[in-house]
Amino acid sequence: MTMSTILVFHGFTMNGAPCSGISTTRRGPSRFRFKLVASDGGYAMSYADAMAVVHFVSGANEDKGKDAMAWFADGKFWDSHQHSDWIDSTTDEDSGEKL
């Protein structure tokens, strides 16, 4: 049986390590052999940037009875305060320029 490689792109504030390391039990059973490869996004977010994302999603999490800060924790969603994104999505509201 051959091994396939799947390239994974993580979302806001994550980094490659937790995406690549998703365990077999979290992926579920498969009759195919594959490995996940994920790199860090090109934009290194500051801790304040990452906390702004957590604050943004907190309401939706609370509506479902979940605590966003408990989910967005080191070792679970993040890895050692390394937060990455694929683009710097911060723009100046007046000029539209990237900050």
Side-chain angles (χ1 to χ4, degrees), residues 31-49:
R31 60 187 181 114
F32 303 103
R33 291 183 48 187
F34 63 93
K35 67 178 178 176
L36 302 178
V37 175
S39 62
D40 292 343
Y43 171 65
M45 298 175 75
S46 69
Y47 189 73
D49 290 340

Side-chain angles (χ1 to χ4, degrees), residues 21-67:
I22 295 172
S23 70
T24 305
T25 56
R26 292 196 57 195
R27 286 189 292 215
S30 174
R31 60 187 181 114
F32 303 103
R33 291 183 48 187
F34 63 93
K35 67 178 178 176
L36 302 178
V37 175
S39 62
D40 292 343
Y43 171 65
M45 298 175 75
S46 69
Y47 189 73
D49 290 340
M51 287 295 105
V53 173
V54 173
H55 180 71
F56 178 76
V57 300
S58 289
N61 278 262
E62 288 172 9
D63 291 347
K64 292 178 176 47
K66 298 182 180 185
D67 178 3

Side-chain angles (χ1 to χ4, degrees), residues 39-95:
S39 62
D40 292 343
Y43 171 65
M45 298 175 75
S46 69
Y47 189 73
D49 290 340
M51 287 295 105
V53 173
V54 173
H55 180 71
F56 178 76
V57 300
S58 289
N61 278 262
E62 288 172 9
D63 291 347
K64 292 178 176 47
K66 298 182 180 185
D67 178 3
M69 283 305 296
W71 177 249
F72 287 76
D74 283 344
K76 187 168 187 179
F77 189 77
W78 288 334
D79 188 21
S80 302
H81 292 299
Q82 296 175 18
H83 312 289
S84 300
D85 192 6
W86 291 103
I87 58 172
D88 178 359
S89 59
T90 305
T91 57
D92 181 90
E93 290 185 22
D94 295 325
S95 69

